[in-house]
Amino acid sequence: MDSYCELKALPNPEIIPSAVVSALMQALHKLLPTYEGRIGLAFPAYGQQHTLGGIIRILGKKADIDVFHSVLANHSVIRDYALLTPVSGIPEGISKHSCYSRKQPKGNSRYQRQKKRHLERGTWSETLEQAMHAQISKPLRLPHVGLKSSSNGQSFLLFIERHNKARAVDGQFNSYGLALDHATVPEF
């Protein structure tokens, strides 16, 4: 990674800031697969008021970021909801790196599968049931965005977890710009 640009959510009196970021993430999700995991996202204001913040930093190689920037500049959702900054070089001497990844809550279907497996083995107990129920009933307290699946139209929450790393880790990013295999992005 050597270049980046940023999307800064524009204040909108009709929409709360987290909904603006959700609209931007939905638009990015439709565009990112073209770049086959070479573009990652960072959220400089991650955790402010338990949200991702109002800035989405888009990072990658200069050639990819230049092309992506021109695509974003012509995208109606981006134009309506965000300020797109010019492409810049990543500053030298970065010592902080973060891994942003998707965190999926463990739901009732997982509980039912585990219960069935333990019943078949004969290892099911009331203590185990209480422990598993306590685990699935704990809500995730991570920043998230509300998105809509393009395949089935269902709405869902995309929880995003950040892990600070001491060094950079090369890798691929998914169609949300989040890390696969613990790939990191520089923090500055």
Side-chain angles (χ1 to χ4, degrees), residues 113-125 128 132:
R113 284 191 310 273
Q114 286 186 334
K115 181 178 180 179
K116 181 180 175 185
R117 188 170 43 245
H118 281 284
L119 284 171
E120 288 171 354
R121 291 183 192 158
T123 57
W124 186 251
S125 69
L128 182 60
M132 288 174 61

Side-chain angles (χ1 to χ4, degrees), residues 135-151:
Q135 185 180 20
I136 66 165
S137 62
K138 255 192 296 188
L140 274 181
R141 300 210 185 277
L142 291 171
H144 59 275
V145 290
L147 300 175
K148 192 170 194 169
S149 171
S150 56
S151 60

